[in-house]
Amino acid sequence: MTSPTVSASGTPAGPATGPSTGAKRVLLAAPRGYCAGVDRAVIAVEKALEHYGAPVYVRKEIVHNRYVVETLAARGAVFVDETDEVPEGAHVVFSAHGVSPAVHAQAAARNLQTIDATCPLVTKVHKEAVRFASEDYDILLIGHDGHEEVEGTYGEAPDHIQVVNSPDAVADVVVRDPDRLIWISQTTLSVDETMDTVRRLRERFPNLQDPPSDDICYATQNRQVAVKKLAPECDLVITVGSANSSNSVRLVEVALDAGARSSYRVDQASEIDLAWLDGVTTVGVTSGASVPEILVKDVLALLAEHGFGDVQEVRTATEDLMFSLPRELRADLKAAGKAPVVPRREGRTSLDVQPV
């Protein structure tokens, strides 16, 4: 594929400026792609394979991205749905989405060597659930029923938690004491929809308390803000991400809500329907927090082949947060005399593009 034409990079903040001039261009969202929690989880599986050798088992998808899962599987990772599929005594990695105490107990009963790659920001929500349950609050967990992260958080205090799937589900909420009520949330939701749900909850329960800090993670919020900046300038916004990635799906919705004429999600460049480009002069491109940058590069290359070679970065934040590897893996690497691993900042090398 032909590479897009790019020029010297910079990192200013701000939206795209002015309406389209008719020349074809790409507005590339930044931040995009790997967050610190995803980077940490993927590297944990890679280092576990290097250190222990294949197979290393992973409960559920380590992150919600098909390319990442297939790449790690080719290196020897074995993905399973439940711990009882893992041979006794084997190494198993828990995904970035977190697991319930029951899963930890099941792993211990099978003498599994666990590596807990739960994102620290998800762990924070788990701790909130435990704390508020111990204080006998009813906890309203805003999130998508059936999502692995929600299942893990719910499992911390099932007698105290009820899941609120959407603003429309607020009418069905029943609590014991409206004066001892608090909400928490899945980390990968739409900020706007979550706040709409909270608003409706507070209309019913005026004394509803907020969590001590935001539960929606910094990366989810940053990617949504970047899309909101570029979407009004775009005829089309393409989000790279898998269908089971909650934060990727939300980006498609955020783009439409922010003014994009059309918005689609693809796993990879080959899924782009070229009919989407008919009559289009400005394409926005972003990617979910579990998407490696190679997939974005492929999308940009395809767009360049069809005249969209002018790539301009719309940066609204610079992320430098990094998480250390899971403690179990760090301990084993240290005991073997191996150098500590520092996860890659943003999980990628930045593209050299023209800022706007």
Side-chain angles (χ1 to χ4, degrees):
M1 288 187 176
T2 303
S3 297
T5 301
V6 297
S7 57
S9 65
T11 56
T17 55
S20 172
T21 61
K24 291 182 177 180
R25 62 175 179 165
V26 174
L27 298 182
L28 181 62
R32 64 184 176 276
Y34 271 14
C35 63
V38 164
D39 199 27
R40 171 183 186 261
V42 173
I43 293 176
V45 178
E46 293 172 344
K47 292 301 175 183
L49 286 166
E50 290 177 12
H51 182 63
Y52 306 117
V56 167
Y57 294 84
V58 183
R59 184 184 181 275
K60 306 292 187 182
E61 293 187 353
I62 186 65
V63 297
H64 284 160
N65 184 264
R66 188 171 69 189
Y67 175 90
V68 171
V69 170
E70 290 174 353
T71 300
L72 292 174
R75 297 180 185 179
V78 178
F79 293 88
V80 299
D81 285 330
E82 299 297 343
T83 53
D84 60 11
E85 301 174 54
V86 181
E88 287 205 22
H91 287 92
V92 61
V93 182
F94 292 148
S95 81
H97 307 105
V99 299
S100 68
V103 172
H104 282 286
Q106 292 161 5
R110 295 181 59 77
N111 296 313
L112 301 182
Q113 306 301 306
T114 59
I115 299 168
D116 188 355
T118 301
C119 174
L121 301 179
V122 174
T123 299
K124 177 182 78 74
V125 180
H126 281 225
K127 291 180 177 179
E128 289 175 352
V130 172
R131 170 190 161 190
F132 296 127
S134 70
E135 296 173 2
D136 202 30
Y137 279 86
D138 276 6
I139 304 167
L140 304 181
L141 172 55
I142 300 173
H144 300 135
D145 219 352
H147 190 281
E148 290 155 39
E149 181 186 329
V150 170
E151 290 179 350
T153 303
Y154 179 84
E156 294 285 359
D159 294 336
H160 288 263
I161 296 176
Q162 57 184 299
V163 178
V164 183
N165 280 284
S166 69
D168 293 337
V170 168
D172 299 325
V173 172
V174 177
V175 302
R176 295 173 302 159
D177 182 354
D179 293 326
R180 293 193 66 77
L181 184 63
I182 194 161
W183 69 272
I184 59 177
S185 81
Q186 181 180 333
T187 63
T188 55
L189 299 180
S190 160
V191 176
D192 293 338
E193 182 175 329
T194 301
M195 291 302 99
D196 186 26
T197 302
V198 172
R199 178 185 59 78
R200 295 197 196 186
L201 284 169
R202 189 157 280 124
E203 288 174 354
R204 287 198 59 201
F205 308 107
N207 292 331
L208 174 70
Q209 297 186 41
D210 297 324
S213 61
D214 281 347
D215 287 341
I216 298 178
C217 87
Y218 77 95
T220 297
Q221 296 187 54
N222 285 348
R223 281 147 191 73
Q224 291 177 17
V225 168
V227 167
K228 287 179 181 179
K229 288 288 187 182
L230 61 82
E233 301 288 336
C234 295
D235 305 301
L236 164 68
V237 172
I238 296 173
T239 296
V240 186
S242 293
N244 62 341
S245 167
S246 177
N247 75 89
S248 297
V249 173
R250 300 289 84 71
L251 288 172
V252 177
E253 300 166 353
V254 167
L256 288 173
D257 290 343
R261 283 176 46 197
S262 60
S263 181
Y264 298 97
R265 179 204 56 78
V266 298
D267 255 299
Q268 54 191 356
S270 62
E271 295 179 2
I272 293 175
D273 184 343
L274 296 181
W276 298 346
L277 302 178
D278 290 346
V280 167
T281 57
T282 301
V283 179
V285 175
T286 189
S287 57
S290 51
V291 177
E293 189 73 349
I294 187 174
L295 300 182
V296 175
K297 291 180 179 178
D298 288 346
V299 167
L300 295 178
L302 183 144
L303 291 172
E305 287 188 345
H306 294 275
F308 295 87
D310 177 15
V311 181
Q312 304 169 12
E313 185 174 78
V314 179
R315 177 171 290 277
T316 55
T318 297
E319 297 174 354
D320 56 9
L321 180 66
M322 293 178 286
F323 298 130
S324 59
L325 290 178
R327 59 179 178 82
E328 306 93 343
L329 182 57
R330 290 201 316 271
D332 285 352
L333 292 175
K334 181 178 180 180
K338 296 184 178 179
V341 177
V342 179
R344 298 175 292 267
R345 180 170 295 179
E346 292 190 344
R348 62 179 175 86
T349 301
S350 295
L351 291 173
D352 186 27
V353 298
Q354 176 64 44
V356 295

